Amino acid sequence: MITISEQAQSHFRKLLEKQAAGTHIRVFVVNPGTVSAECGVSYCPADAVESTDLQLPFEGFMAIVDAESKPFLVDAEIDFVTDQMGSQLTLKAPNAKVRKVNDDAPLKEKVQYVIDAEINPQLANHGGRVSVVELTDDGVAVLQFGGGCNGCSQVDLTLKEGIEKELLQRFAGELTAVRDVTDHQRGEHSYY
């Protein structure tokens, strides 16, 4: 579930030597499943471990994960990197903002996951977002734009050259097209 590099494990063991016996590390996500999700690592004293926590064994310590954070830390990686600027602990959690869906999930959920994890973060730079309204029987993903994308003069380009290309490539053989059903109203919220 969480990969911790040898360098990071060594770093944690050194830090934990200075803590009370039985102290481990806790890996968590604050505001999981939202655009403001942030990951963190902290000390976890023995008396702070809950019965619902997941305990991942590593050499010399345990990584403790609370039940709420668990699905958002799938495929997370912790590393300890040293370069010219010094040393730092890095935590990459690609599913922190969006809960990963199973491979056998319905196609609509898998398409929405790709949109939430990869497309919406880019659209958010312009105050926009997109979501799946429906998938038709003939494989058309019907999308609804919102925020700054509603009324934006570039929405057709974004749809055809960005979103549609990405989704048709990702879901080749399952999706045949992408269609926008948004009633685009220009306004102060739109990018021109």
Side-chain angles (χ1 to χ4, degrees), residues 10-189:
S10 176
H11 177 69
F12 287 135
R13 282 190 294 272
K14 287 177 189 171
L15 292 173
L16 290 167
E17 285 175 1
K18 301 171 186 163
Q19 300 302 310
T23 300
H24 298 287
I25 65 165
R26 180 173 290 281
V27 184
F28 57 91
V29 181
V30 177
N31 300 316
T34 69
V35 295
S36 59
E38 294 200 19
C39 300
V41 178
S42 66
Y43 292 118
C44 183
D47 62 355
V49 177
E50 303 286 332
S51 62
T52 56
D53 286 342
L54 175 64
Q55 299 182 33
L56 303 171
F58 290 92
E59 189 179 325
F61 67 94
M62 300 281 264
I64 311 298
V65 178
D66 64 272
E68 184 182 10
S69 295
K70 181 182 170 188
F72 299 95
L73 288 171
V74 172
D75 299 331
E77 298 176 8
I78 301 175
D79 197 5
F80 187 71
V81 182
T82 303
D83 59 20
Q84 305 94 314
M85 303 299 287
S87 300
Q88 73 174 14
L89 195 63
T90 63
L91 197 160
K92 295 177 184 170
N95 300 300
K97 295 180 187 315
V98 181
R99 181 190 307 248
K100 186 173 183 175
V101 296
N102 294 329
D103 291 339
D104 61 350
L107 181 59
K108 183 176 179 182
E109 286 182 29
K110 292 191 285 188
V111 171
Q112 188 64 56
Y113 172 77
V114 169
I115 287 172
D116 288 340
E118 299 176 25
I119 296 169
N120 277 339
Q122 295 174 41
L123 296 178
N125 291 333
H126 302 283
R129 67 185 175 283
V130 67
S131 61
V132 180
V133 175
E134 70 173 306
L135 289 179
T136 66
D137 292 338
D138 57 346
V140 177
V142 180
L143 305 180
Q144 175 91 40
F145 285 89
C149 290
N150 184 355
C152 175
S153 62
Q154 297 297 310
V155 76
D156 290 335
L157 183 67
T158 299
L159 179 70
K160 291 295 180 190
E161 295 300 317
I163 298 170
E164 185 174 57
K165 276 187 176 180
E166 178 67 25
L167 293 178
L168 292 181
Q169 179 182 344
R170 284 284 185 91
F171 300 101
E174 296 178 272
L175 288 183
T176 57
V178 175
R179 187 172 70 228
D180 177 16
V181 294
T182 311
D183 179 15
H184 288 280
Q185 300 288 323
R186 286 188 175 258
E188 292 181 17
H189 62 281

